[in-house]
Amino acid sequence: MPQFLLRSVSILLAALSLGACSSGPTPQEQALNYPEPAFTAKRVLPPGQPSLTYIYDPWEPMNRRIYVFNYHFDQMVFLPVVRGYEAAVPDVARTGIHNFFNNFEDLLTALNSALQLSPEKAAQSTGRVLVNSTVGLLGLVDVASAMDIPRPEEDFGQTLGYWGAGRGPFLMIPFLGPSNLRDGLGKLPDFYVDSAVKGEVLSEPVDLSATVLYPIDTRANTSFRYFENGSAFEYEMVRWLFSTKRDLDVMQ
């Protein structure tokens, strides 16, 4: 119940800032004399072929508004919290916290690898969890990487893709960023399993602390910043890069 209340209050506080989030920063103007490419898409692609960067996005107006909302939330809430966290917590402690969360993600990878009938990845992830949970002091020290045990990354969205589920429409999720319908739904079972495992192995105070620290740690270890590349087409670029990466993740 404390975790549910904490998540609810966090979402409410973020929603209160939505009124100030109607527009993003003005992107830099593009050069007017930028040369036309020698081989444009129209010259290379066969007739009727969609653009190479085409991504199915029927909810684009809503997605763009959420993209701008995420920018404002990032600037007003997320990044200031991250900067405070980095100033207050020593680097060695932040590394241990990040390793701790990675250990739980390795467990999810092991489960999803088994569902994808990938014994090699399942064995690698299981080995990492066993080593880091014991010798690595409950995951605080990444001994498995020091032993050169590979670290695959699999989630339930990739599992759905492995079994033939298409990615579906592009979806920008509040607070979380770019996704698609398949991967967005795939976050639910991953979240359920992760919460259930933490609830079993962690005491309630530690579990509550982990709930607070996880999004901060994730943002602190994500280098992306909204509207900092100066492109007027940042939304399209992020949409294509994310979708392409997820396609590659499923094929691996």
Side-chain angles (χ1 to χ4, degrees):
M1 180 61 72
Q3 292 181 358
F4 175 78
L5 181 60
L6 178 64
R7 294 190 183 99
S8 300
V9 171
S10 300
I11 293 173
L12 177 60
L13 290 175
L16 292 175
S17 64
L18 184 59
C21 305
S22 59
S23 61
T26 303
Q28 299 177 8
E29 294 184 2
Q30 306 298 298
L32 297 178
N33 59 345
Y34 194 82
E36 180 71 16
F39 295 96
T40 63
K42 290 182 179 180
R43 294 179 61 184
V44 175
L45 297 177
Q49 174 72 30
S51 167
L52 291 175
T53 58
Y54 171 79
I55 302 296
Y56 183 51
D57 190 6
W59 304 322
E60 182 172 347
M62 176 191 72
N63 285 332
R64 285 183 176 274
R65 287 193 291 270
I66 294 174
Y67 190 88
V68 172
F69 165 73
N70 285 350
Y71 159 76
H72 285 286
F73 178 79
D74 216 35
Q75 293 295 311
M76 295 187 295
V77 180
F78 228 162
L79 293 181
V81 170
V82 167
R83 286 191 288 268
Y85 169 72
E86 292 174 338
V89 181
D91 182 68
V92 63
R94 297 200 306 272
T95 299
I97 291 171
H98 187 60
N99 291 338
F100 176 79
F101 290 125
N102 280 347
N103 197 40
F104 285 98
E105 291 180 1
D106 286 343
L107 178 59
L108 290 177
T109 293
L111 294 173
N112 281 293
S113 296
L115 292 174
Q116 295 173 32
L117 307 181
S118 178
E120 181 179 2
K121 290 182 180 180
Q124 291 169 347
S125 299
T126 301
R128 290 185 60 87
V129 172
L130 292 176
V131 170
N132 286 340
S133 297
T134 53
V135 184
L137 305 176
L138 301 178
L140 294 174
V141 182
D142 188 3
V143 179
S145 292
M147 296 172 60
D148 293 326
I149 301 178
R151 185 172 187 262
E153 297 183 38
E154 302 291 335
D155 54 52
F156 197 70
Q158 290 166 257
T159 299
L160 292 174
Y162 173 84
W163 290 105
R167 65 188 180 205
F170 181 74
L171 179 65
M172 188 65 63
I173 303 178
F175 313 112
L176 301 182
S179 186
N180 54 55
L181 185 60
R182 179 196 65 206
D183 294 341
L185 294 176
K187 292 181 183 296
L188 299 178
D190 282 340
F191 175 79
Y192 174 80
V193 172
D194 184 66
S195 298
V197 171
K198 287 176 180 175
E200 288 293 326
V201 302
L202 303 177
S203 64
E204 186 171 338
V206 175
D207 193 11
L208 185 60
S209 299
T211 300
V212 175
L213 284 175
Y214 178 71
I216 300 174
D217 170 75
T218 300
R219 191 65 184 98
N221 288 277
T222 303
S223 60
F224 174 77
R225 297 293 184 267
Y226 291 93
F227 294 113
E228 286 195 356
N229 66 6
S231 172
F233 307 101
E234 179 176 295
Y235 172 84
E236 291 86 349
M237 179 183 68
V238 169
R239 179 179 62 189
W240 180 79
L241 288 174
F242 171 82
S243 300
T244 301
K245 178 186 180 301
R246 290 302 289 175
D247 288 345
L248 294 174
D249 288 342
V250 170
M251 289 188 293
Q252 288 181 351

